[in-house]
Amino acid sequence: MESQTPTLLDLPPGPRQPRYAQALQWVTRPQEFAVRQRERFGDVFTLQFIDGQPLVVISDPEDIRTVFTGSAEVMHAGEANVVLGPILGSRSILLLDEGEHLRERRLLLPPFHGARMLRYEQIMAEAAARELDSWQEGETIEMLPRMQSITLEVIMRAVFGIEDGLEMERLRVLLRTMLQETTDMRQMALSLIMGPDSDRLVRRLREVLDPVDEELYRVIAEHRRAPDLEEREDILSMLLLARDDDGQPMTDVELRDELMTLLLAGHETTASSLAWAFEQLTHQPQTLERLTAELRDGDESYAEAVIQETMRLRPVLPLVIRLLKEPITVGQGRFRLPAGTRVAPAIILVHLRDDIYPDPYQFRPERFLEKPPGTYTWIPFGGGMRRCVGSAFALFEMRAVLRAVLTNFDVEAAGGSERIARRSLTLIPDHGGRIRIAKRLHSSIEAPLEAGAAAA
Ligand code: HEM
C-alpha cells in the first residue's frame, strides 16, 4: 500500500524559513546549518528542501541504531534514491529495496570482502605512482583532481578489469565527461526542480551516458568471451561468475547498472576523502610529521587513525536517507514518525557530538588509538543492511595513497584551512585541497614491486 507524504504538522519541529532558503544554506554551508538546527531544536528536527518533501534529521546514536537495524521492509533506501535512477539504472543496488536489494547485495559483497583487498594493492600503488611521478618540488597541487585521476584508474582496472592502455584512455575520456556532467551543481538543481525524468535533462544525460554504456556493454561482452575468467582478479569477472540463491547469473543490464554504481559510489567519494586527509594534515604539522615518520618506518596504525579522524570530521556524504513504510518512534519516545516520512541519519552531526568526541572540531587522530570507532557513532559508510559495500576497498586505497605520497614527498600547507563546499552529493574542500610539495625525495617514483604480495 502506498503511504502518503506526511505534512509538516505530523513531524518534529524545524526551521520555519522558506524551503528555498533552507536548501540554499544546506548546499552552501551544510555543517553550520545542520549544527545550528540541532542547537535550536535538539537531536531530531525536520528540514524542507526544494523538492518540498520534509526530511527528518536524526543524530542520537540510539535513533541511528533504530534506523540502521530496522527491517528492510520498513526502511526503504532505494525508493529514497530514485533521483539517481536515470544515471545508475533501475537494477542498481542503490535503487532497490527488500528482496531485490538483498539479492544484489549478496552478489556484490564477496568480491569486496576485506581479505580480498590485498590483491588490489599493486593496482593502487601503480596508479598512485603514475600520478605522483609528475609532481615537482616547490609546486602547489590541488589534490582533488589528482586523487580523482588515481581513483578512476583504480576502478577501471580493479573493478572493470581493463588493462589495455588505449582502451583505458578511451574510457577515461568518456567517463570524465560523464562525471563532470553528472556532478555538475546546476544539473543537480535542475533535476531537483524539474524531477529526474524531465525531457531536457534526460536528453542531455543520454548524450553523455550512451557512449559510456556502449563501452561498458563492450567490456562486459569481452569478459563473457574470456576463456580465463576464473583466474581473473577483477570484480567484474567475479560478478560474471556469481550466482544468486536460485543459481541465476547476473544479466548484462544488471552488470551495467552495478558497474556504473560502483564507479559513481566509489570514485568521487574516495578521492574527496583523500583530498580532505591532505587538507587536514597539512594544517596540523605535528600530526603530519608523526604520520610521515611512521609511514616511512613501515608502521600503518597511525595512518588508520588519521583516515578515521578525517572521515569523522570531514565526512564526504553528510547523511543517508530512508523512506519509512511503517511508523517508528525516535527522540527517546517523543516523536512518532508516520509511514511515508523520509528520515536521515546525519553523519555530519553524529560525528560532532561532544558527548562522544570531546573537542569535536579538533582534528585529533589519537582519539581513535585510544578508543576504536563505534558502530552507530562513526558512520561515514552508513550502517546496517545498506552499509557501504566498498568500505574496505576505500580504506585500503586511502592508506595506499597516503603511503605513496608521504614516503616520496615532504608536503606542507599551501594556504589557509579550506571550507566545506559541495559538489553534487559530496562535500569537498572549497579549493580542492591545495598542498605544496616542499621536497621530492626520489627522482623517479615507481610502485614497489608486488606491493600486494609484500603486504600479504
Ligand atoms: C570514502 C569512500 C566512500 C564513502 C564515504 C562511502 C559512503 C557510503 C555510504 C554512506 C553508503 C550508504 C548509503 C545508504 O545508507 O543509503 C554507501 C553505500 C554504498 N557504497 Fe560506498 N562509500 C565510499 C566508497 C565506496 C567504494 C570504493 C565503493 C565501490 C567501489 C562503494 C560502493 C558502495 C555501494 C555499492 C553502496 C550501496 C550499498 C547498499 O545499498 O547495499 N563505496 N557508501
Side-chain angles (χ1 to χ4, degrees), residues 122 125-126 128-130 132-133 404 408 440 442 444-449:
Q122 187 69 26
E126 282 170 11
R130 207 181 328 277
L132 267 49
D133 200 34
N408 284 297
R440 178 172 170 145
H442 308 107
S444 94
I445 293 170
E446 281 159 24
L449 270 184

Side-chain angles (χ1 to χ4, degrees), residues 127-144:
R130 207 181 328 277
E131 167 58 41
L132 267 49
D133 200 34
S134 66
W135 295 10
Q136 300 301 326
E137 197 163 301
E139 77 174 322
T140 292
I141 288 185
E142 191 182 327
M143 290 299 266
L144 187 55

